[in-house]
Amino acid sequence: SDSFQDVVVKIERPTYNKPFLGGFRNVSTGVEFHNAGSQTKPKKRPDKGIQLFCKETQTVVEKNKLQQTRNTTSTQMTKIGLYVSNMTDKLITPGKYFTAEEYHKRRLEAVLVLQKYFRRWHAINLVQNLKEQRRLRLALEAQEELQKKKEKEDKLRREYEKKLNPKTKEDFELLYHDLELWMQEETERINRTLTGAERKAALCALLEEETQLIACIGMHKLDANVENQQKAILHLLGKCAKPRRWKAFDGKITEMDTKNSLRGKELLEIYQSISTKDIPKDERISVLLTLKCTVKEHECKLTEEIVALIDREVDLMSREVKECNLEGLRKRICTLFLQYIKIPEFNPRVAGLLKVPQDPLKLYKNVYFCHSCEKYLAPHEFLIPANSRTIGRCRSCYQLDNEARKREAYLKYRLILENLRKSEVDYQDDSKIVFLVQLPDLQHLIENIWNCQSALSACSDLYDLVMVRWDKQHEWSPWNTILLTKEEADAHLKICNLQKTYEGAFIYRIEQKHIRAKNYFSQIPVMSSVLHRSNHQPNANSYK
């Protein structure tokens, strides 16, 4: 009894439900006891090798069940002693019997009728949609045509206004260009119609008229320079008064007024006040006193001269001197105050906006000599072509030479170059060559290589022409470009495979122009590395 032994008992779970074999219940405690069945597996019958079927699988179990209708119905017939009216009875006669083949045939005929009506409805909707699309397309084309016409009229009106009231260098370029065209036409007419002494007299009269027109243009230029100079001064002072701005992480713009920007804003208000004409005497004296208090903060020879001029004007105004006699004195005050504003000690924000740096050493390192006007100028004052190896002449000398001899208008080429650079920036693939090309290079490319006309439609209006990439997968270059109208350029940039879209002869003609451009721009040292790299790139759209 003191010894123990572990015995492993294997319990096999039955795969069938044990039958209920009966049991009993204890009367005193009420506990039920069931008779236990055998836990061993039943003995399997030996396999005879023959598939046997039981009776249940060979027969069908049938069950009869009576059903009662929900509504109790009855039939009453006429008999002796009972009359049933037949006024509401219906006489039903059997129809013609039709077979399954006739039934399916009738169904097919009905389906065909439905298909006919559906196709008719679908065709009507399709035609109406096509008509609506055609109407919308024609309306859009008419609107685009009207828009183009309106833009052309606006462009001609702006050109006319620019020539009538020239303000900028481009306006005067257009004036001189029109003058040259008029001179050529008149000279050709005189040479064609007159001879001998009459021809010489007519040419002399034409020269005299040209001289008068040039003098008139010069007077307009002087007036425009005065106005532009005043605008440039106000623009400079506006930059000095502009607050600091930066973009936050959420995209909002934050502005902050610093001590220097507030100082610039104060000086701007004073300059605008003393530059204003036809103001009352009391306001003028108040502005002069404010200016006097402002410049007295710093003692130097310039401020002393400004204070002396202010005292002189106040004294003359007290003596009832006429306004027209004070204009020279007021201009001197404005000029000296502008010099005061341009000194960084008095206006710290102006230090980074001056063209001439305060440190002479910086000026010596970044200055070039113009051999035409014999002046030392900053690098941005020189118009350097891409194939040039020397500095050459400055922009003013180029402009003066153009006005005196060629009289060409570069506005159209400048617009093409600006549009080209904007489109290259939108690609965001680090294009560099387009920013190396200058205005004379683009003019040579358009005039000598592309003949100032579209490669597809031969349109020669430079205002409607743009330069885009020939193969948009590579950056723009003189040997990867094409000159087209704006509509043609939009369609060209949507092309995925140039070889399948254009004919071989057209691609060959374009590549010949690219070869000419390569030969011209291969002289540029900066583009030599780019040109060498482009020669090793595989071009899938090349014509062979």
Side-chain angles (χ1 to χ4, degrees):
S1 60
D2 296 335
S3 62
F4 300 93
Q5 184 177 1
D6 295 336
V7 180
V8 178
V9 179
K10 187 176 181 182
I11 301 175
E12 295 182 0
R13 301 295 180 184
T15 57
Y16 61 95
N17 295 327
K18 294 181 179 181
F20 178 69
L21 303 179
F24 61 94
R25 182 172 63 86
N26 193 343
V27 178
S28 60
T29 60
V31 179
E32 293 184 356
F33 296 93
H34 294 172
N35 296 331
S38 174
Q39 293 183 349
T40 59
K41 290 184 178 181
K43 184 178 180 181
K44 293 184 178 181
R45 297 180 180 180
D47 189 8
K48 300 180 181 180
I50 301 173
Q51 188 176 4
L52 302 177
F53 298 95
C54 62
K55 180 180 180 182
E56 285 77 8
T57 59
Q58 292 179 351
T59 58
V60 177
V61 177
E62 294 181 355
K63 183 183 292 186
N64 295 329
K65 186 176 180 181
L66 300 177
Q67 291 184 350
Q68 183 75 19
T69 59
R70 296 183 179 180
N71 296 330
T72 304
T73 60
S74 60
T75 304
Q76 182 67 50
M77 302 299 294
T78 302
K79 64 179 181 177
I80 300 172
L82 178 63
Y83 171 75
V84 179
S85 176
N86 58 358
M87 295 299 295
T88 58
D89 292 351
K90 296 180 181 179
L91 182 62
I92 299 176
T93 57
K96 182 181 178 182
Y97 178 79
F98 55 91
T99 61
E101 182 179 356
E102 294 175 349
Y103 170 76
H104 289 295
K105 183 179 179 181
R106 193 172 72 173
R107 291 288 299 272
L108 180 60
E109 291 176 354
V111 169
L112 293 177
V113 172
L114 291 175
Q115 286 182 349
K116 290 177 183 179
Y117 280 94
F118 173 77
R119 288 174 181 176
R120 178 177 177 271
W121 170 82
H122 183 67
I124 291 174
N125 289 340
L126 182 61
V127 171
Q128 289 179 352
N129 291 334
L130 291 176
K131 286 182 178 179
E132 184 66 18
Q133 293 177 6
R134 179 177 176 272
R135 186 187 64 82
L136 294 176
R137 181 174 59 82
L138 292 177
L140 181 61
E141 290 178 356
Q143 185 178 2
E144 290 179 353
E145 191 69 23
L146 186 62
Q147 184 71 18
K148 289 180 183 178
K149 186 178 180 181
K150 185 178 179 181
E151 289 178 356
K152 193 170 184 179
E153 292 176 356
D154 294 341
K155 180 184 65 178
L156 294 176
R157 188 178 65 255
R158 286 195 301 268
E159 283 189 4
Y160 179 75
E161 291 176 355
K162 286 181 179 180
K163 295 173 184 177
L164 191 62
N165 298 312
K167 302 294 182 183
T168 62
K169 295 180 181 179
E170 290 81 6
D171 301 343
F172 287 102
E173 278 184 3
L174 293 175
L175 273 180
Y176 281 110
H177 182 65
D178 290 350
L179 177 61
E180 181 64 22
L181 294 179
W182 175 78
M183 280 292 297
Q184 292 176 2
E185 292 177 0
E186 291 296 319
T187 304
E188 183 181 356
R189 183 184 61 81
I190 291 172
N191 293 331
R192 186 177 64 254
T193 57
L194 301 177
T195 57
E198 294 180 354
R199 173 178 170 274
K200 291 183 179 180
L203 290 176
C204 290
L206 180 62
L207 182 61
E208 185 68 23
E209 192 173 356
E210 181 188 9
T211 306
Q212 294 177 1
L213 291 175
I214 292 176
C216 183
I217 294 175
M219 295 297 295
H220 282 287
K221 185 179 289 187
L222 291 177
D223 296 338
N225 288 338
V226 174
E227 186 178 351
N228 293 335
Q229 184 179 5
Q230 188 66 21
K231 289 181 179 180
I233 292 172
L234 294 177
H235 182 67
L236 175 65
L237 298 181
K239 284 186 176 180
C240 296
K242 191 176 182 180
R244 298 282 184 179
R245 301 182 65 195
W246 66 88
K247 182 182 284 189
F249 66 94
D250 55 354
K252 295 182 179 180
I253 302 297
T254 305
E255 295 185 355
M256 182 184 69
D257 285 322
T258 61
K259 179 181 178 181
N260 298 335
S261 64
L262 293 176
R263 175 67 175 176
K265 188 179 296 185
E266 178 186 359
L267 297 177
L268 173 61
E269 293 176 355
I270 296 176
Y271 182 82
Q272 289 177 343
S273 300
I274 64 173
S275 301
T276 305
K277 298 181 180 180
D278 300 330
I279 60 175
K281 182 179 178 180
D282 298 337
E283 293 184 9
R284 179 69 184 180
I285 293 175
S286 176
V287 170
L288 291 175
L289 293 178
T290 305
L291 174 60
K292 185 176 180 180
C293 296
T294 303
V295 298
K296 270 189 173 181
E297 297 175 359
H298 306 87
E299 294 183 358
C300 63
K301 186 177 180 179
L302 178 61
T303 57
E304 292 176 358
E305 189 174 357
I306 294 174
V307 171
L309 292 177
I310 292 173
D311 294 337
R312 186 184 305 175
E313 183 179 354
V314 172
D315 181 52
L316 293 175
M317 290 175 64
S318 64
R319 298 181 183 182
E320 301 296 336
V321 178
K322 294 182 180 181
E323 296 286 335
C324 59
N325 296 329
L326 297 176
E327 289 183 2
L329 180 60
R330 291 174 177 177
K331 286 183 179 179
R332 286 188 62 191
I333 294 176
C334 289
T335 304
L336 292 179
F337 184 60
L338 182 61
Q339 294 180 10
Y340 174 86
I341 292 175
K342 290 184 178 180
I343 298 177
E345 296 178 1
F346 308 145
N347 185 16
R349 285 291 297 273
V350 82
L353 303 175
L354 295 176
K355 293 184 179 180
V356 180
Q358 299 298 313
D359 188 4
L361 296 178
K362 295 181 179 180
L363 181 63
Y364 296 152
K365 294 179 181 179
N366 197 19
V367 69
Y368 295 95
F369 181 71
C370 177
H371 294 277
S372 180
C373 60
E374 298 183 353
K375 292 181 181 179
Y376 289 95
L377 301 171
H380 64 270
E381 296 291 340
F382 291 88
L383 185 63
I384 306 174
N387 59 348
S388 177
R389 298 182 181 272
T390 58
I391 295 297
R393 295 178 295 179
C394 62
R395 295 179 183 269
S396 300
C397 295
Y398 269 113
Q399 182 182 356
L400 184 61
D401 181 70
N402 181 45
E403 293 175 357
R405 298 180 183 179
K406 298 180 180 179
R407 296 175 180 171
E408 295 180 353
Y410 296 101
L411 178 62
K412 300 176 182 179
Y413 303 105
R414 190 177 291 108
L415 293 176
I416 293 176
L417 184 59
E418 290 177 358
N419 293 332
L420 176 60
R421 287 178 176 175
K422 288 180 182 178
S423 62
E424 287 299 308
V425 170
D426 294 338
Y427 278 105
Q428 298 182 355
D429 56 357
D430 197 17
S431 300
K432 300 178 181 178
I433 301 179
V434 67
F435 299 99
L436 298 176
V437 176
Q438 300 298 323
L439 201 58
D441 306 319
L442 187 70
Q443 182 184 4
H444 174 84
L445 188 64
I446 294 175
E447 291 182 353
N448 300 332
I449 297 178
W450 294 98
N451 300 325
C452 294
Q453 62 182 7
S454 171
L456 286 174
S457 60
C459 176
S460 58
D461 188 4
L462 291 180
Y463 282 111
D464 294 335
L465 297 181
V466 292
M467 267 197 164
V468 294
R469 297 182 179 184
W470 168 248
D471 184 4
K472 61 182 180 180
Q473 302 299 329
H474 302 94
E475 68 170 314
W476 183 93
S477 62
W479 50 91
N480 183 32
T481 184
I482 184 171
L483 186 65
L484 301 169
T485 62
K486 296 178 181 179
E487 294 79 9
E488 294 169 353
D490 295 338
H492 173 78
L493 294 177
K494 296 178 182 179
I495 296 175
C496 298
N497 194 329
L498 299 175
Q499 200 168 9
K500 292 182 179 180
T501 306
Y502 296 118
E503 294 182 354
F506 178 78
I507 298 178
Y508 178 77
R509 190 163 64 250
I510 297 299
E511 289 193 349
Q512 292 301 313
K513 295 181 182 295
H514 291 169
I515 292 173
R516 291 174 58 191
K518 277 186 180 181
N519 294 334
Y520 176 78
F521 286 93
S522 61
Q523 307 170 10
I524 306 171
V526 182
M527 291 190 181
S528 59
S529 60
V530 182
L531 181 61
H532 180 72
R533 184 171 65 252
S534 66
N535 289 334
H536 290 80
Q537 288 180 351
N539 191 358
N541 297 316
S542 61
Y543 172 70
K544 298 181 181 179

